[in-house]
């Protein structure tokens, strides 16, 4: 049995995911692999580096730092989350990412991006974390219009959520037959289509595949969530999600609100810890 963790994105809603992961790490719940999309990739890599607490720590520390995120960063660099400071300086200088633990861990870690020229999902196994690895993480979370295209080798990439927000089938195809899926929207949520389609196509006239992916995303997303729930009903997945809307914007400068969302994830994980253990085939104390 291969045990996997599938992480949806959702920008700062990902702090809910971080709360769940931290409880799982603190309780020594071992996994064979993690696949993350967007914020799920940014935060999920800390499971492989075994660093509970790191996600909420650096996000609250830099919540109001204009070097990290915000309008100033977007106007100066084209990236709401600063490409160099947020993705390279913070993990190497201020809140150190444990590269050695990550690189020596047998756990697999995969990220999902979207190819801007085709609109299709790009799946990448990130066995080693280094400068290029951090660029893969950045690409997975690079929201269209709020971020510049990320170039890695001959690939041009943006946010993985455009093509595959809940990559459960991908992990199942790799042989992961026991998967915990963390969603960041509450039960019953249905993604609505984007409005202003003509304006969006004009803004992305040089990237028509991205515009097409954005305009069809609601269809794919709703199908992907429905599939995750159908697999849970069949006993092949365990879906964890907030009971209510988390009420946090994509870009947040309120450290207290960040902490509240994180704590919602922690509380849900603690309440369901025995269920998580049983699903993964572990003994329940």
């Amino acid at each position: 049995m291969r045990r996997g963790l599938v992480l949806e994105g959702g920008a700062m809603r990902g702090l809910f995911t971080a709360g769940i992961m931290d409880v799982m790490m603190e309780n020594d719940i071992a996994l064979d692999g993690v696949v993350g999309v967007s914020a799920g990739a940014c935060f999920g890599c800390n499971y492989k580096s075994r660093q509970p607490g790191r996600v909420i720590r650096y996000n609250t520390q830099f919540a109001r730092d204009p070097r990290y995120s915000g309008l100033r960063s977007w106007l100066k660099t084209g990236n709401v989350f600063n490409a160099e400071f947020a993705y390279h300086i913070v993990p190497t200088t201020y809140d150190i990412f444990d590269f050695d633990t990550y690189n020596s861990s047998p756990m697999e870690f995969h990220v999902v991006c979207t190819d801007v020229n085709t609109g299709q999902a790009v799946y990448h196994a990130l066995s080693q974390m280094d400068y290029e690895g951090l660029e893969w993480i950045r690409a997975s979370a690079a929201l269209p219009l709020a971020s510049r295209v990320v170039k890695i080798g001959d690939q041009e990439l943006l946010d993985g959520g455009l093509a595959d927000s809940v990559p459960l089938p991908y992990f199942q195809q790799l042989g992961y037959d026991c998967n915990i899926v963390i969603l960041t929207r509450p039960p019953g949520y249905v993604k609505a289509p984007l409005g202003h389609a003509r304006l969006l196509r004009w803004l992305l006239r040089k990237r028509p595949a991205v515009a097409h992916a954005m305009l069809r995303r609601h269809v794919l997303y709703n199908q992907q969530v429905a599939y995750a729930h159908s697999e849970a009903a069949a006993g092949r997945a365990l879906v964890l999600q907030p009971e209510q809307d988390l009420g946090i914007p994509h870009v947040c400068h309120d450290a207290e609100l960040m902490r509240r969302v994180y704590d919602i994830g922690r509380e849900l994980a603690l309440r369901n810890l025995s269920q998580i253990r049983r699903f993964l085939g572990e003994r329940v104390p």
Side-chain angles (χ1 to χ4, degrees):
M1 180 175 71
R2 300 190 77 195
R3 308 189 304 179
L5 183 62
V6 179
L7 306 176
E8 180 190 5
M12 287 295 102
R13 294 197 311 274
L15 292 171
F16 166 81
T17 302
I20 294 176
M21 290 193 305
D22 282 359
V23 168
M24 291 174 64
M25 282 190 277
E26 290 161 5
N27 285 273
D28 297 318
I29 293 178
L31 300 166
D32 299 300
V34 179
V35 57
V37 183
S38 194
C42 294
F43 301 162
C45 59
N46 292 277
Y47 211 112
K48 185 171 164 65
S49 68
R50 302 297 299 175
Q51 291 179 276
R54 181 173 178 271
V55 171
I56 188 62
R57 187 172 60 241
Y58 74 75
N59 274 287
T60 52
Q61 178 181 351
F62 294 103
R64 296 187 180 277
D65 193 322
R67 296 173 298 171
Y68 186 72
S69 67
L71 181 60
R72 184 187 302 181
S73 175
W74 183 65
L75 292 174
K76 289 181 66 175
T77 71
N79 296 289
V80 168
F81 285 89
N82 188 278
E84 186 63 21
F85 187 82
Y87 288 97
H88 294 285
I89 295 176
V90 168
T92 59
T93 304
Y94 291 106
D95 199 315
I96 307 299
F97 185 79
D98 192 337
F99 292 90
D100 290 340
T101 296
Y102 181 101
N103 293 336
S104 62
S105 170
M107 179 189 297
E108 293 184 356
F109 185 75
H110 299 244
V111 298
V112 185
C113 303
T114 299
D115 186 309
V116 302
N117 297 305
T118 66
Q120 299 300 306
V122 175
Y123 305 96
H124 181 73
L126 199 53
S127 58
Q128 295 289 300
M129 188 66 77
D130 49 20
Y131 188 92
E132 183 175 294
L134 292 170
E135 285 292 276
W136 276 102
I137 298 290
R138 183 167 77 89
S140 183
L143 294 170
L145 303 178
S147 309
R148 293 188 181 276
V149 170
V150 181
K151 296 182 179 181
I152 303 176
D154 60 355
Q155 298 186 88
E156 295 182 301
L157 306 165
L158 280 175
D159 178 39
L162 297 176
D164 193 352
S165 294
V166 190
L168 176 58
Y170 166 71
F171 240 26
Q172 290 175 326
Q173 291 168 10
L174 293 180
Y176 287 89
D177 50 5
C178 181
N179 293 288
I180 295 175
V181 181
I182 303 181
L183 304 177
T184 59
R185 296 288 193 180
Y189 173 81
V190 176
K191 185 174 286 294
L194 286 175
H196 307 291
R198 292 179 66 180
L199 175 61
L200 184 65
R201 289 194 180 97
W202 182 81
L203 290 171
L204 292 167
R205 58 195 178 278
K206 295 182 179 179
R207 301 289 188 184
V210 175
H212 179 70
M214 292 179 70
L215 292 170
R216 67 170 182 161
R217 187 189 175 197
H218 67 288
V219 175
L220 295 179
Y221 179 83
N222 294 332
Q223 290 174 346
Q224 291 155 5
V225 170
Y227 178 76
H229 282 293
S230 69
E231 289 298 281
R236 292 185 290 267
L238 175 63
V239 174
L240 301 174
Q241 59 190 133
E243 295 168 350
Q244 298 177 335
D245 187 90
L246 293 169
I248 189 169
H250 275 65
V251 180
C252 180
H253 303 293
D254 185 339
E256 183 178 342
L257 178 55
M258 289 181 178
R259 174 67 66 175
R260 286 204 299 270
V261 170
Y262 170 79
D263 286 343
I264 290 170
R266 286 193 63 90
E267 189 277 330
L268 184 139
L270 289 167
R271 183 158 32 98
N272 290 277
L273 191 57
S274 294
Q275 183 184 12
I276 292 170
R277 289 192 186 281
R278 280 194 295 268
F279 176 73
L280 294 174
E282 294 187 356
R283 283 187 181 179
V284 178

